[in-house]
Amino acid sequence: MTTAPLIDPFHRPITYLRVSVTDRCDFRCSYCMAEHMQFLPKKELLTLEELDRLCSAFVRLGLRKLRVTGGEPLVRRGILTFFQAMSRHLESGALEELTLTTNGSQLGRFAADLAALGVRRVNVSLDTLDAGKFHAITRWGHLAPVLEGIAAAKAAGLKVKINTVALKGFNEDELFRLVDWCGAEGHDLTFIEVMPMGEMGEEIRLDQYWPLTDLRARLAERFTLTDLSESSGGPARYVRLRESGQKIGFITPLTHNFCESCNRVRVTCTGELFMCLGQEDRADLRAALRGAPDDAALIAAIRAAIARKPKGHDFDYTRAHVTGQMSRHMSHTGG
Ligand code: SAM
Ligand code: SF4
């Protein structure tokens, strides 16, 4: 079985996997989920052992960075077992980074263990510092345990990056409060443009769309912004604020400017491999995992899928209505 690294048809090495370990969540953020969600039956989900086999196959194929996401990854039962399994790839040096994206609600419980298993950084989603607004946007969430979780992560030595979805009429007025708080706490901060994912019923994505070009212009009213050239191979662009020294990121998933350097793929909690966040094409890795105890079919399926990775995505907000709208939710593909 060849373990030559994964290179897609556009000569992009695939070294970054985001894996969703559950579709469930203890929050119901209005831009992400409907309030009443029908979650998948357990048998549809990859077991922790299957997740281990799948991610380990990617590591053999040259994966350097693994991000665990969901749903809310820390509500998956036994999740530390999975982190423990992945930490062996950190120890061997095969994997450079093991990290996660979380809503922070369970970090108070898990931060120290995650740090002990080799996690060095964590992305925490936080759209507001106002307890009332926090409860309104997450529907089921509370701000205090999230702030405690973030503090626990910091105390455990984890580098925290705050991810804030820019929402028109919701957190526009908190721009500087969020920047100042992150500055005082030593957290990096990245703003994300809201994406047209799924049908949210009463929520209309276009109404919530706050372009980051506008957010950036407002930031420039108070700070001197210097563009940083570093790239994560993803949709984030960074600036440095001269006055505070802070690094601020902007994720504009709806622009195409990052597709050329795209180094990533995603796996859902049911083992579907999505080669591009903005395209429907996928590969069923669960069938390959469950079809045979060895990994030959799995690796063949991964290679065949990477050979189909498209050049870019089709989101477009410039029309009167959203085109390229995806029928699946972020909680399905893992944001
Ligand atoms: N539950 C974890 C969390 O909230 O960080 C991980 C999964 S969540 C789907 C990952 C990220 O996707 C979060 O930062 C969330 O804000 C973002 N997200 C969800 N729906 C989105 C949307 N429609 N547009 C942009 N970002 C979205
Ligand atoms: Fe849950 Fe994260 Fe989606 Fe919010 S964004 S509902 S925390 S998965």
Side-chain angles (χ1 to χ4, degrees):
M1 191 191 319
T2 164
T3 52
L6 291 172
I7 312 275
D8 83 356
F10 304 95
H11 311 291
R12 297 170 297 194
I14 305 306
T15 55
Y16 179 13
L17 171 65
R18 301 168 79 100
V19 63
S20 170
V21 294
T22 180
D23 60 336
R24 286 163 200 260
C25 188
D26 52 344
F27 291 3
R28 291 290 181 279
C29 302
S30 65
Y31 49 76
C32 176
M33 289 193 186
E35 180 149 21
H36 302 287
M37 295 289 291
Q38 186 76 48
F39 291 113
L40 294 164
K42 193 165 170 242
K43 65 175 185 338
E44 299 279 323
L45 261 62
L46 297 187
T47 63
L48 296 175
E49 293 74 19
E50 287 167 342
L51 283 166
D52 182 353
R53 271 180 68 197
L54 188 149
C55 295
S56 298
F58 270 97
V59 170
R60 285 214 293 287
L61 297 174
L63 193 77
R64 300 294 291 151
K65 181 169 170 182
L66 179 64
R67 177 174 294 279
V68 182
T69 178
E72 173 46 42
L74 298 181
V75 303
R76 171 85 196 242
R77 193 171 301 161
I79 191 64
L80 276 187
T81 312
F82 175 67
F83 274 96
Q84 190 156 31
M86 292 303 102
S87 70
R88 74 181 186 274
H89 299 305
L90 288 175
E91 280 161 23
S92 76
L95 199 60
E96 208 171 287
E97 184 170 59
L98 173 62
T99 180
L100 71 154
T101 301
T102 172
N103 65 25
S105 69
Q106 312 296 315
L107 267 181
R109 284 204 282 153
F110 287 118
D113 287 332
L114 291 169
L117 291 171
V119 174
R120 294 287 164 260
R121 298 195 304 148
V122 57
N123 286 4
V124 183
S125 305
L126 181 67
D127 302 330
T128 172
L129 286 166
D130 177 290
K133 281 162 76 179
F134 186 90
H135 186 62
I137 196 81
T138 61
R139 293 198 189 103
W140 293 8
H142 296 284
L143 180 63
V146 170
L147 295 182
E148 283 160 27
I150 293 170
K154 186 176 161 181
L158 298 176
K159 180 81 188 139
V160 175
K161 179 160 77 87
I162 301 296
N163 280 340
T164 301
V165 178
L167 295 164
K168 195 172 189 160
F170 178 77
N171 54 14
E172 277 170 288
D173 58 343
E174 281 190 84
L175 174 61
F176 295 115
R177 188 180 179 195
L178 284 160
V179 170
D180 292 344
W181 180 77
C182 286
E185 293 292 323
H187 307 319
D188 284 335
L189 171 62
T190 289
F191 291 99
I192 308 176
E193 241 168 34
V194 73
M195 281 195 279
M197 307 300 274
E199 285 300 331
M200 298 291 121
E202 79 276 19
E203 307 290 341
I204 306 161
R205 296 279 81 70
L206 273 177
D207 285 356
Q208 298 181 319
Y209 183 51
W210 179 18
L212 294 192
T213 44
D214 181 64
L215 187 155
R216 194 190 148 117
R218 286 207 217 166
L219 209 50
E221 289 170 11
R222 166 119 58 106
F223 294 100
T224 316
L225 277 50
T226 312
D227 283 300
L228 300 178
S229 57
E230 68 190 78
S231 166
S232 58
R237 291 288 172 270
Y238 297 96
V239 297
R240 179 83 59 198
L241 307 184
R242 188 160 77 203
E243 291 75 4
S244 66
Q246 281 170 275
K247 191 169 104 171
I248 306 286
F250 303 98
I251 297 186
T252 49
L254 306 174
T255 59
H256 287 256
N257 60 13
F258 61 92
C259 294
E260 308 80 64
S261 59
C262 182
N263 60 355
R264 60 196 58 196
V265 290
R266 295 173 159 77
V267 171
T268 68
C269 56
T270 57
E272 286 181 302
L273 172 64
F274 280 89
M275 289 73 88
C276 172
L277 181 60
Q279 302 275 0
E280 292 288 357
D281 189 21
R282 68 196 81 176
D284 179 7
L285 299 184
R286 188 179 62 189
L289 276 162
R290 294 189 178 169
D294 70 74
D295 293 338
L298 173 64
I299 287 185
I302 294 171
R303 285 200 186 286
I306 298 303
R308 303 201 303 273
K309 184 168 160 67
K311 197 169 177 193
H313 61 66
D314 297 327
F315 289 126
D316 186 357
Y317 262 122
T318 58
R319 313 281 170 83
H321 61 279
V322 178
T323 57
Q325 179 156 337
M326 307 303 301
S327 57
R328 60 184 193 270
H329 296 175
M330 284 293 272
S331 53
H332 182 65
T333 13

